[in-house]
Amino acid sequence: MTTPQSPLMAFAYFLPFRSIWMLNHRLILALAGAMAFSMGLSDAAIAQSAGSTSNPEHGGRPAPGNSVDPNPVASTRDTNASRVRGRRAQAEAAKVDPAVIKAEVETIFAGSSTTCTVTEAKLLGVSAEQQKIYEASCAAAPGYIVVASTPPQIVDCIVLDGQAQTARAADPAAATGPTCTLPANQDIQGFLKAYATQAGVPCTVDEAKVRGQSGDGAVVYEIGCAGVDGYWIEKGASGWEKTECIQVISQNSTCQFTTPAEQAATVKSWLTGSDAAACDVQQVRLMGQNANGRFIEMTCAGAEGFIIRQNAEHAVQQVYPCATAQQIGGGCKLTTTAPASTPQA
């Protein structure tokens, strides 16, 4: 058994507080209004450009001047008006032309800091400020809902899906707000698993979700792992960062997709080759860390518990039996082992 080299009383904690995620309420209201917006303009454009000889301004009756018009004298008089209506119909039809919509969205992305190779786009409606609102899908990436404001407001489909899930969890009958509907934007779990891979999560991902927002505004995702400890991940300015759920929980946050048994299995895997390798780990507690490493308490089935010190690569560098670990961060809390007695002189 390795003995402590020096008493360690204080630890530094490492996981910054992450606030509960809230979307911009004005944007949500604008999007919700757009999702309910009737696409009457496009319907009208289609009707006017369908080649019918009827005139909507005459209640669907034949337009003046056509071959069945009882008043052919009006034909010349109405020719210019018909041409104007035709040009107007073409303009309205252009507004809903997929190629035109796609080009408009590509222009918005080109002028923003968000990267998206647009594969499909559709017009959802307009905001109260008469700003167009679109949904776009992106090549090999999550899509977005885009408001053509100045600057543009762009929210990715994963975040909107997370908002909807949160609303449904609180009240199954609640209005969930806007979500993405293009087919390419539906595989939310697939997108999140891809994020986990990009972040270097070393496990088989079994579930994932949006959790919140970091202090610098980055979206935080929870990643659940099959049989082992999960992670919170976020993409900052310098790239992806991942935080083990054992750390998340030590800061009084939660990991919905990670069980105590999965965390125990992970800690057990770290004990290989150490003096604590025989421990059948039951419970674990991350105590904190300092310049020497981080400290984890564990209980063992039918045996004395331990505190281990490990480095950043999870290698165990010190093992402290609970009976002699009172000076290590206040000692063991999960194990009720009595302190070792001091020999009498």
Side-chain angles (χ1 to χ4, degrees):
M1 185 71 66
T2 306
T3 56
Q5 298 299 312
S6 60
L8 300 171
M9 296 297 294
F11 300 104
Y13 291 93
F14 23 65
L15 184 66
F17 175 79
R18 291 172 168 84
S19 61
I20 299 299
W21 163 66
M22 292 289 289
L23 287 177
N24 182 293
H25 290 290
R26 291 182 62 188
L27 177 56
I28 286 295
L29 290 174
L31 294 178
M35 300 294 279
F37 180 77
S38 170
M39 299 300 291
L41 289 178
S42 61
D43 293 340
I46 293 170
Q48 292 181 45
S49 60
S52 170
T53 58
S54 64
N55 188 338
E57 294 182 2
H58 290 259
R61 298 187 301 276
N66 66 27
S67 59
V68 294
D69 188 356
N71 184 16
V73 177
S75 175
T76 302
R77 183 183 61 204
D78 287 341
T79 297
N80 290 336
S82 296
R83 289 174 178 169
V84 170
R85 285 194 296 273
R87 288 194 295 269
R88 185 180 302 143
Q90 291 175 357
E92 294 294 347
K95 292 180 181 179
V96 295
D97 183 333
V100 173
I101 297 302
K102 183 173 181 286
E104 290 175 351
V105 173
E106 288 173 334
T107 299
I108 293 172
F109 278 116
S112 75
S113 59
T114 302
T115 301
C116 173
T117 301
V118 180
T119 57
E120 187 178 358
K122 68 177 180 179
L123 179 65
L124 302 179
V126 295
S127 68
E129 293 78 20
Q130 297 303 299
Q131 299 157 339
K132 290 183 179 180
I133 303 178
Y134 309 86
E135 180 184 349
S137 59
C138 308
Y144 297 89
I145 287 183
V146 179
V147 181
S149 55
T150 304
Q153 300 176 75
I154 302 174
V155 182
D156 77 57
C157 294
I158 294 176
V159 170
L160 291 171
D161 180 75
Q163 171 79 5
Q165 288 190 38
T166 299
R168 284 193 292 265
D171 179 3
T176 60
T179 56
C180 297
T181 60
L182 287 174
N185 290 334
Q186 299 309 296
D187 188 13
I188 300 299
Q189 287 296 303
F191 292 136
L192 290 172
K193 289 178 181 179
Y195 283 176
T197 298
Q198 294 168 23
V201 172
C203 74
T204 299
V205 177
D206 54 14
E207 200 162 3
K209 66 180 291 186
V210 174
R211 282 304 305 254
Q213 192 175 56
S214 64
D216 59 3
V219 178
V220 179
Y221 310 91
E222 180 183 343
I223 305 298
C225 295
V228 294
D229 196 25
Y231 293 83
W232 278 13
I233 64 171
E234 62 179 277
K235 190 173 185 179
S238 59
W240 284 100
E241 301 175 4
K242 62 181 186 292
T243 304
E244 296 161 317
C245 280
I246 193 171
Q247 292 188 7
V248 173
I249 292 171
S250 75
Q251 292 300 109
N252 298 318
S253 292
T254 62
C255 281
Q256 180 179 340
F257 306 134
T258 297
T259 67
E262 287 175 326
Q263 290 195 323
T266 297
V267 173
K268 172 66 176 176
S269 72
W270 296 336
L271 302 180
T272 302
S274 76
D275 291 342
C279 175
D280 181 7
V281 181
Q282 301 296 298
Q283 295 175 283
V284 298
R285 176 177 71 98
L286 179 58
M287 302 168 67
Q289 74 177 16
N290 61 20
N292 295 318
R294 68 176 187 174
F295 297 78
I296 299 171
E297 179 191 357
M298 71 201 70
T299 62
C300 306
E304 180 184 20
F306 297 94
I307 293 173
I308 62 168
R309 173 170 61 86
Q310 64 176 187
N311 63 16
E313 290 73 39
H314 302 120
V316 176
Q317 298 186 314
Q318 197 93 33
V319 176
Y320 308 89
C322 283
T324 58
Q326 287 74 34
Q327 291 183 312
I328 309 301
C332 294
K333 305 298 183 184
L334 302 176
T335 299
T336 56
T337 303
S341 58
T342 303
Q344 297 294 316

